[in-house]
Amino acid sequence: MAELSTVARPYAKAAFEYAFSQGKLAEWSKMLGLAAEAVTDSAVQNVLGNPAITQDQKAGILMDICPDLDENGKNFVQTLSEVGRLPLFPQIAEQFETLKAEQEKTVEVEITSAYELTSEQQTNLAQALQK
């Protein structure tokens, strides 16, 4: 797992830097998340692992599955395809989200309570978390 993360890191960093420079972090987050979800599907994994299918065909299939990719997103898919890195989308998306959270100075929080919180408690909790 650590090896996949290491290989994915430069791609995640490049995607983040591009998205940040264009002011499109949210759009890229969504695109990478969709692509990551697509490549985790077992049928897509079979296609990506099939040596009889060319890298261009694999990129085309992934782009067909993810029609919301903009031109730059398609170029990113094509670049990853050319070097046989399409299966890395989950790791790339995860690292992109980490970079995005660091940039935005946000953390994801999950709160579990034994009972339903009142609106006042929710407000107090939200205010405490913002600090």
Side-chain angles (χ1 to χ4, degrees):
M1 189 68 162
E3 183 179 320
L4 293 178
S5 293
T6 301
V7 175
R9 186 172 296 117
Y11 300 106
K13 187 175 180 186
F16 174 80
E17 288 174 357
Y18 176 79
F20 181 71
S21 72
Q22 299 297 308
K24 295 186 175 187
L25 287 176
E27 292 89 341
W28 272 78
S29 177
K30 181 180 176 185
M31 285 191 298
L32 292 174
L34 290 173
E37 189 175 329
V39 301
T40 58
D41 180 80
S42 61
V44 176
Q45 286 178 346
N46 289 337
V47 169
L48 296 180
N50 187 339
I53 299 174
T54 68
Q55 294 299 334
D56 281 341
Q57 290 171 323
K58 292 174 184 179
I61 290 167
L62 188 57
M63 286 185 251
D64 288 344
I65 294 170
C66 304
D68 292 341
L69 294 174
D70 66 13
E71 233 10 76
N72 294 308
K74 290 177 183 178
N75 289 340
F76 190 68
V77 168
Q78 190 63 45
T79 299
L80 290 176
S81 176
E82 289 170 2
V83 292
R85 302 291 193 214
L86 291 176
L88 290 178
F89 261 110
Q91 290 80 15
I92 293 169
E94 180 181 330
Q95 290 183 28
F96 181 92
E97 290 303 317
T98 300
L99 293 168
K100 181 176 175 272
E102 288 173 8
Q103 175 62 39
E104 295 174 340
K105 306 230 184 297
T106 60
V107 292
E108 201 168 301
V109 177
E110 182 177 325
I111 307 228
T112 305
S113 175
Y115 56 91
E116 189 171 341
L117 299 177
T118 66
S119 61
E120 181 183 342
Q121 290 171 320
Q122 290 177 15
T123 301
N124 290 340
L125 187 56
Q127 289 172 347
L129 290 172
Q130 285 177 344
K131 292 179 184 177

mmCIF file of all heavy atoms in Angstrom, residues 62-85:
data_model
loop_
_atom_site.group_PDB
_atom_site.id
_atom_site.type_symbol
_atom_site.label_atom_id
_atom_site.label_comp_id
_atom_site.label_asym_id
_atom_site.label_seq_id
_atom_site.Cartn_x
_atom_site.Cartn_y
_atom_site.Cartn_z
ATOM 1 N N LEU A 62 -12.610 4.865 -19.444
ATOM 2 C CA LEU A 62 -12.748 5.606 -18.191
ATOM 3 C C LEU A 62 -13.400 6.967 -18.433
ATOM 4 O O LEU A 62 -14.242 7.401 -17.650
ATOM 5 C CB LEU A 62 -11.390 5.768 -17.504
ATOM 6 C CG LEU A 62 -11.430 6.365 -16.107
ATOM 7 C CD1 LEU A 62 -12.331 5.552 -15.169
ATOM 8 C CD2 LEU A 62 -10.032 6.453 -15.523
ATOM 9 N N MET A 63 -13.059 7.614 -19.519
ATOM 10 C CA MET A 63 -13.681 8.908 -19.836
ATOM 11 C C MET A 63 -15.172 8.746 -20.147
ATOM 12 O O MET A 63 -15.966 9.620 -19.817
ATOM 13 C CB MET A 63 -12.955 9.588 -20.999
ATOM 14 C CG MET A 63 -11.609 10.155 -20.593
ATOM 15 S SD MET A 63 -10.829 11.079 -21.917
ATOM 16 C CE MET A 63 -9.497 9.990 -22.370
ATOM 17 N N ASP A 64 -15.533 7.627 -20.770
ATOM 18 C CA ASP A 64 -16.948 7.357 -21.041
ATOM 19 C C ASP A 64 -17.712 7.136 -19.732
ATOM 20 O O ASP A 64 -18.860 7.541 -19.595
ATOM 21 C CB ASP A 64 -17.117 6.135 -21.939
ATOM 22 C CG ASP A 64 -16.697 6.401 -23.377
ATOM 23 O OD1 ASP A 64 -16.573 7.586 -23.763
ATOM 24 O OD2 ASP A 64 -16.479 5.417 -24.114
ATOM 25 N N ILE A 65 -17.063 6.464 -18.778
ATOM 26 C CA ILE A 65 -17.689 6.191 -17.487
ATOM 27 C C ILE A 65 -17.847 7.472 -16.673
ATOM 28 O O ILE A 65 -18.793 7.620 -15.913
ATOM 29 C CB ILE A 65 -16.862 5.153 -16.695
ATOM 30 C CG1 ILE A 65 -16.897 3.803 -17.402
ATOM 31 C CG2 ILE A 65 -17.374 5.013 -15.274
ATOM 32 C CD1 ILE A 65 -15.927 2.792 -16.834
ATOM 33 N N CYS A 66 -16.918 8.396 -16.856
ATOM 34 C CA CYS A 66 -16.902 9.660 -16.108
ATOM 35 C C CYS A 66 -17.129 10.831 -17.065
ATOM 36 O O CYS A 66 -16.190 11.578 -17.373
ATOM 37 C CB CYS A 66 -15.569 9.831 -15.383
ATOM 38 S SG CYS A 66 -15.128 8.497 -14.279
ATOM 39 N N PRO A 67 -18.361 11.036 -17.522
ATOM 40 C CA PRO A 67 -18.616 12.076 -18.528
ATOM 41 C C PRO A 67 -18.462 13.506 -17.995
ATOM 42 O O PRO A 67 -18.407 14.439 -18.788
ATOM 43 C CB PRO A 67 -20.058 11.804 -18.953
ATOM 44 C CG PRO A 67 -20.674 11.136 -17.774
ATOM 45 C CD PRO A 67 -19.579 10.329 -17.147
ATOM 46 N N ASP A 68 -18.368 13.681 -16.687
ATOM 47 C CA ASP A 68 -18.244 15.028 -16.121
ATOM 48 C C ASP A 68 -16.814 15.556 -16.137
ATOM 49 O O ASP A 68 -16.566 16.663 -15.660
ATOM 50 C CB ASP A 68 -18.779 15.055 -14.683
ATOM 51 C CG ASP A 68 -20.282 14.854 -14.627
ATOM 52 O OD1 ASP A 68 -20.947 15.060 -15.663
ATOM 53 O OD2 ASP A 68 -20.791 14.485 -13.558
ATOM 54 N N LEU A 69 -15.879 14.778 -16.684
ATOM 55 C CA LEU A 69 -14.500 15.254 -16.757
ATOM 56 C C LEU A 69 -14.423 16.412 -17.747
ATOM 57 O O LEU A 69 -14.937 16.322 -18.850
ATOM 58 C CB LEU A 69 -13.567 14.136 -17.236
ATOM 59 C CG LEU A 69 -13.380 12.930 -16.331
ATOM 60 C CD1 LEU A 69 -12.547 11.869 -17.030
ATOM 61 C CD2 LEU A 69 -12.728 13.333 -15.029
ATOM 62 N N ASP A 70 -13.763 17.498 -17.322
ATOM 63 C CA ASP A 70 -13.550 18.592 -18.267
ATOM 64 C C ASP A 70 -12.335 18.253 -19.135
ATOM 65 O O ASP A 70 -11.735 17.183 -18.999
ATOM 66 C CB ASP A 70 -13.406 19.939 -17.547
ATOM 67 C CG ASP A 70 -12.167 20.047 -16.681
ATOM 68 O OD1 ASP A 70 -11.254 19.202 -16.777
ATOM 69 O OD2 ASP A 70 -12.092 21.017 -15.888
ATOM 70 N N GLU A 71 -11.951 19.142 -20.020
ATOM 71 C CA GLU A 71 -10.843 18.880 -20.933
ATOM 72 C C GLU A 71 -9.549 18.590 -20.188
ATOM 73 O O GLU A 71 -8.809 17.678 -20.555
ATOM 74 C CB GLU A 71 -10.656 20.094 -21.838
ATOM 75 C CG GLU A 71 -10.642 19.906 -23.325
ATOM 76 C CD GLU A 71 -11.034 18.582 -23.911
ATOM 77 O OE1 GLU A 71 -12.214 18.245 -23.971
ATOM 78 O OE2 GLU A 71 -10.111 17.861 -24.343
ATOM 79 N N ASN A 72 -9.289 19.335 -19.122
ATOM 80 C CA ASN A 72 -8.076 19.100 -18.338
ATOM 81 C C ASN A 72 -8.143 17.775 -17.585
ATOM 82 O O ASN A 72 -7.129 17.099 -17.428
ATOM 83 C CB ASN A 72 -7.821 20.268 -17.388
ATOM 84 C CG ASN A 72 -7.507 21.536 -18.140
ATOM 85 O OD1 ASN A 72 -6.628 21.549 -18.990
ATOM 86 N ND2 ASN A 72 -8.234 22.594 -17.861
ATOM 87 N N GLY A 73 -9.319 17.419 -17.122
ATOM 88 C CA GLY A 73 -9.498 16.123 -16.473
ATOM 89 C C GLY A 73 -9.258 14.981 -17.449
ATOM 90 O O GLY A 73 -8.632 13.979 -17.110
ATOM 91 N N LYS A 74 -9.734 15.143 -18.679
ATOM 92 C CA LYS A 74 -9.498 14.125 -19.712
ATOM 93 C C LYS A 74 -8.014 14.023 -20.034
ATOM 94 O O LYS A 74 -7.486 12.921 -20.221
ATOM 95 C CB LYS A 74 -10.305 14.455 -20.961
ATOM 96 C CG LYS A 74 -11.793 14.274 -20.772
ATOM 97 C CD LYS A 74 -12.562 14.672 -22.008
ATOM 98 C CE LYS A 74 -14.060 14.537 -21.754
ATOM 99 N NZ LYS A 74 -14.851 14.967 -22.915
ATOM 100 N N ASN A 75 -7.341 15.166 -20.079
ATOM 101 C CA ASN A 75 -5.894 15.155 -20.324
ATOM 102 C C ASN A 75 -5.165 14.426 -19.198
ATOM 103 O O ASN A 75 -4.190 13.705 -19.437
ATOM 104 C CB ASN A 75 -5.352 16.579 -20.451
ATOM 105 C CG ASN A 75 -5.778 17.244 -21.742
ATOM 106 O OD1 ASN A 75 -6.152 16.583 -22.711
ATOM 107 N ND2 ASN A 75 -5.743 18.567 -21.757
ATOM 108 N N PHE A 76 -5.640 14.613 -17.970
ATOM 109 C CA PHE A 76 -5.037 13.934 -16.821
ATOM 110 C C PHE A 76 -5.230 12.429 -16.947
ATOM 111 O O PHE A 76 -4.288 11.653 -16.734
ATOM 112 C CB PHE A 76 -5.649 14.475 -15.525
ATOM 113 C CG PHE A 76 -4.945 14.034 -14.277
ATOM 114 C CD1 PHE A 76 -3.664 14.466 -13.989
ATOM 115 C CD2 PHE A 76 -5.570 13.192 -13.376
ATOM 116 C CE1 PHE A 76 -3.008 14.063 -12.834
ATOM 117 C CE2 PHE A 76 -4.936 12.788 -12.211
ATOM 118 C CZ PHE A 76 -3.648 13.219 -11.939
ATOM 119 N N VAL A 77 -6.438 12.010 -17.309
ATOM 120 C CA VAL A 77 -6.708 10.575 -17.518
ATOM 121 C C VAL A 77 -5.789 10.042 -18.606
ATOM 122 O O VAL A 77 -5.197 8.963 -18.466
ATOM 123 C CB VAL A 77 -8.194 10.335 -17.870
ATOM 124 C CG1 VAL A 77 -8.409 8.912 -18.363
ATOM 125 C CG2 VAL A 77 -9.084 10.632 -16.672
ATOM 126 N N GLN A 78 -5.657 10.772 -19.697
ATOM 127 C CA GLN A 78 -4.814 10.336 -20.811
ATOM 128 C C GLN A 78 -3.359 10.206 -20.369
ATOM 129 O O GLN A 78 -2.691 9.232 -20.692
ATOM 130 C CB GLN A 78 -4.936 11.314 -21.982
ATOM 131 C CG GLN A 78 -4.296 10.818 -23.261
ATOM 132 C CD GLN A 78 -4.955 9.563 -23.803
ATOM 133 O OE1 GLN A 78 -6.169 9.464 -23.851
ATOM 134 N NE2 GLN A 78 -4.152 8.610 -24.201
ATOM 135 N N THR A 79 -2.885 11.167 -19.599
ATOM 136 C CA THR A 79 -1.502 11.128 -19.109
ATOM 137 C C THR A 79 -1.279 9.909 -18.220
ATOM 138 O O THR A 79 -0.282 9.197 -18.371
ATOM 139 C CB THR A 79 -1.169 12.419 -18.331
ATOM 140 O OG1 THR A 79 -1.307 13.526 -19.219
ATOM 141 C CG2 THR A 79 0.234 12.383 -17.755
ATOM 142 N N LEU A 80 -2.208 9.670 -17.308
ATOM 143 C CA LEU A 80 -2.085 8.496 -16.432
ATOM 144 C C LEU A 80 -2.146 7.210 -17.240
ATOM 145 O O LEU A 80 -1.433 6.246 -16.956
ATOM 146 C CB LEU A 80 -3.178 8.505 -15.368
ATOM 147 C CG LEU A 80 -3.061 9.562 -14.283
ATOM 148 C CD1 LEU A 80 -4.273 9.515 -13.359
ATOM 149 C CD2 LEU A 80 -1.785 9.379 -13.478
ATOM 150 N N SER A 81 -2.982 7.195 -18.254
ATOM 151 C CA SER A 81 -3.128 6.007 -19.092
ATOM 152 C C SER A 81 -1.837 5.705 -19.841
ATOM 153 O O SER A 81 -1.430 4.545 -19.944
ATOM 154 C CB SER A 81 -4.282 6.212 -20.078
ATOM 155 O OG SER A 81 -4.378 5.111 -20.946
ATOM 156 N N GLU A 82 -1.196 6.730 -20.359
ATOM 157 C CA GLU A 82 0.029 6.542 -21.140
ATOM 158 C C GLU A 82 1.130 5.864 -20.337
ATOM 159 O O GLU A 82 1.969 5.161 -20.909
ATOM 160 C CB GLU A 82 0.534 7.888 -21.666
ATOM 161 C CG GLU A 82 -0.343 8.462 -22.760
ATOM 162 C CD GLU A 82 -0.002 9.897 -23.125
ATOM 163 O OE1 GLU A 82 0.967 10.465 -22.541
ATOM 164 O OE2 GLU A 82 -0.707 10.457 -23.972
ATOM 165 N N VAL A 83 1.125 6.060 -19.028
ATOM 166 C CA VAL A 83 2.151 5.437 -18.181
ATOM 167 C C VAL A 83 1.584 4.275 -17.361
ATOM 168 O O VAL A 83 2.222 3.810 -16.413
ATOM 169 C CB VAL A 83 2.837 6.487 -17.269
ATOM 170 C CG1 VAL A 83 3.664 7.452 -18.108
ATOM 171 C CG2 VAL A 83 1.835 7.240 -16.418
ATOM 172 N N GLY A 84 0.375 3.833 -17.707
ATOM 173 C CA GLY A 84 -0.219 2.673 -17.042
ATOM 174 C C GLY A 84 -0.586 2.901 -15.595
ATOM 175 O O GLY A 84 -0.524 1.982 -14.782
ATOM 176 N N ARG A 85 -1.012 4.126 -15.251
ATOM 177 C CA ARG A 85 -1.288 4.470 -13.857
ATOM 178 C C ARG A 85 -2.771 4.692 -13.553
ATOM 179 O O ARG A 85 -3.096 5.209 -12.488
ATOM 180 C CB ARG A 85 -0.518 5.734 -13.464
ATOM 181 C CG ARG A 85 0.982 5.638 -13.626
ATOM 182 C CD ARG A 85 1.571 4.681 -12.635
ATOM 183 N NE ARG A 85 3.021 4.829 -12.581
ATOM 184 C CZ ARG A 85 3.838 3.823 -12.372
ATOM 185 N NH1 ARG A 85 3.375 2.610 -12.205
ATOM 186 N NH2 ARG A 85 5.131 4.024 -12.333
#
